[in-house]
Amino acid sequence: EIYTLSLHDALPISIHEAIRTVNEGLRRFPENATLHFLRGQTIFLHTGQIDAWGAALVRYGSAASPLAMLDQQFHYLRFKHQYAELQSLLNASSEPAIRVLAGSGGGGFFGVGQLPTAHYRGWVALLLGQSSEASRQGREVLAFVAAQKETPWNAWFLRILESHGQLFLGDHGRAITAAGSAMELMPQERDIEGWQSAATAAAQVYAWSGKLDASMTLMEQISALPSRFGPMNRDRKSVV
């Protein structure tokens, strides 16, 4: 954990310092799967080179929990546009939800609780043009949100889930409203990383709802954030 936090602190300085930090962690803990995943993700987010991330998933995936791997594989395959493989991955999972991990910097994700796997399934259905399946998963996401106890820590995250659930259902108006509420609940002055996550989610909703100008305006605001977030995290592909 010390090395993941040090990586996060080093990113605003330079990508080279960040990689040096995580390499030092791997020198001491060479079989630590989390550090290998972080190294691959950091290289990808700052250079667009995805091979190190994929190699880490193949080599060290068995050392990580199946639920943690589900999240890693989902984002990796989404960036690779391997949607059929994504669907196969999700078909093999029977878990209704996974615990949300805060990641290297923590940010607003501390204390948000769980993420329904219907959220992953809804995105895959949307990407594959399966509208009826997307609607079914959207209803499951909204049912999950309704069953959660809302707190000051998870309210913004629940609005993100709500916005995506409405998007899967095709209710763009409610999706946009919920996405806006998520950003209001997580302003930059509260937590800049939490705001970036909320803004990226809102940009996705705006883009899929046909509000391309609003989506790109948000992406431009995200692009002005400190360099720790990485250019690939601000690329227009992240709204797909």
Side-chain angles (χ1 to χ4, degrees):
E1 291 182 0
I2 289 173
Y3 281 104
T4 59
L5 290 172
S6 297
L7 167 66
H8 177 263
D9 290 339
L11 281 172
I13 300 172
S14 76
I15 178 61
H16 301 292
E17 180 63 19
I19 295 301
R20 187 201 66 76
T21 300
V22 77
N23 283 346
E24 174 62 20
L26 287 170
R27 186 182 68 80
R28 299 190 182 195
F29 308 101
E31 298 304 312
N32 186 288
T34 299
L35 288 175
H36 282 284
F37 297 158
L38 280 173
R39 185 179 187 277
Q41 286 177 307
T42 300
I43 291 172
F44 168 66
L45 290 173
H46 287 264
T47 68
Q49 299 175 14
I50 204 169
D51 291 347
W53 188 10
L57 290 173
V58 170
R59 182 171 180 182
Y60 298 98
S62 60
S65 72
L67 294 183
M69 279 301 296
L70 177 62
D71 187 69
Q72 285 277 331
Q73 290 280 15
F74 175 82
H75 292 293
Y76 173 76
L77 292 173
R78 181 173 65 89
F79 275 114
K80 294 276 287 184
H81 290 189
Q82 295 178 346
Y83 305 137
E85 290 85 345
L86 258 178
Q87 193 166 52
S88 297
L89 175 72
L90 291 166
N91 288 342
S93 174
S94 60
E95 297 293 337
I98 67 169
R99 184 169 67 89
V100 177
L101 302 179
S104 62
F109 284 104
F110 278 122
V112 301
Q114 293 190 313
L115 175 75
T117 50
H119 183 260
Y120 297 129
R121 300 179 198 279
W123 273 115
V124 173
L126 204 62
L127 289 164
L128 290 173
Q130 300 169 347
S131 58
S132 60
E133 177 63 14
S135 294
R136 188 173 75 86
Q137 299 301 334
R139 288 190 290 271
E140 290 198 20
V141 171
L142 294 178
F144 174 90
V145 170
Q148 303 308 298
K149 180 180 178 181
E150 191 166 311
T151 71
W153 305 107
N154 70 2
W156 72 280
F157 184 70
L158 292 178
R159 296 293 78 73
I160 287 177
L161 293 182
E162 180 185 350
S163 71
H164 288 172
Q166 297 290 0
L167 180 67
F168 301 157
L169 284 170
D171 193 332
H172 295 156
R174 289 183 177 177
I176 289 171
T177 298
S181 295
M183 288 193 293
E184 290 176 1
L185 290 165
M186 181 56 73
Q188 287 195 41
E189 55 268 24
R190 173 182 171 183
D191 188 299
I192 192 170
E193 293 185 32
W195 178 86
Q196 187 247 0
S197 298
T200 300
Q204 290 175 319
V205 168
Y206 294 162
W208 280 90
S209 300
K211 305 293 185 182
L212 297 182
D213 288 345
S215 176
M216 292 313 301
T217 296
L218 268 181
M219 295 304 291
E220 288 170 1
Q221 292 175 18
I222 294 169
S223 71
L225 294 175
S227 61
R228 69 178 56 155
F229 298 106
M232 287 304 295
N233 220 27
R234 307 188 292 257
D235 186 79
R236 67 179 61 196
K237 289 181 181 178
S238 64
V239 303
V240 176

